[in-house]
Amino acid sequence: MTIALTILHILVSIFLIAVVLLQSGKGAEMGASFGSGGSQSVFGAGGGTTFLSKMTTGAAVIFMLTSLTLAYISGQPSSSSIMSGKGKSSSAAKLPVQVPQPTVPVQQNKPATMPTVPTAPVQPQK
């Protein structure tokens, strides 16, 4: 299902780009007044703007729905894993765990002393 949704998402995005590029800019009406009329004659007199606007709106809605659906699906935890059986090995579970013993003897009944650092005598400033 994810692959089909991704293919639909790509096709809708390409269609949306094409529909947006087919629309005329805001300055196209200026050219029609100087004799290049009929630029929207394929879609009828003034009907092209609404037709392309409806196509853009429809493609944008489908694009947003597929985007949200793909984002929701990718956020769900997957039920399968490539590491499903690799974490447990029978030989590692049977070995006993050995804790190393400390090798430093513990001294008791002696106060802890801090080593002192020799410092140079401070000379008075003149």
Side-chain angles (χ1 to χ4, degrees):
M1 180 175 138
T2 306
I3 295 172
L5 199 59
T6 305
I7 291 171
L8 177 67
H9 184 71
I10 292 170
L11 291 175
V12 168
S13 65
I14 292 170
F15 180 73
L16 183 62
I17 291 169
V19 168
V20 168
L21 290 176
L22 281 175
Q23 291 182 5
S24 60
K26 292 182 178 181
E29 290 82 23
M30 180 74 81
S33 63
F34 292 114
S36 66
S39 62
Q40 297 288 332
S41 63
V42 174
F43 302 112
T49 307
T50 59
F51 176 73
L52 285 176
S53 296
K54 288 179 183 179
M55 293 294 286
T56 304
T57 304
V61 167
I62 295 172
F63 180 79
M64 283 189 252
L65 289 175
T66 55
S67 296
L68 291 173
T69 307
L70 285 170
Y72 179 75
I73 289 173
S74 68
Q76 296 295 319
S78 63
S79 60
S80 64
S81 174
I82 60 170
M83 299 295 289
S84 61
K86 303 291 183 191
K88 300 176 183 176
S89 72
S90 60
S91 63
K94 294 178 183 179
L95 294 176
V97 177
Q98 297 178 353
V99 178
Q101 299 295 325
T103 57
V104 178
V106 179
Q107 297 177 354
Q108 296 178 356
N109 298 332
K110 287 189 177 182
T113 58
M114 292 287 291
T116 59
V117 177
T119 59
V122 178
Q123 296 179 357
Q125 295 181 355
K126 295 182 184 180

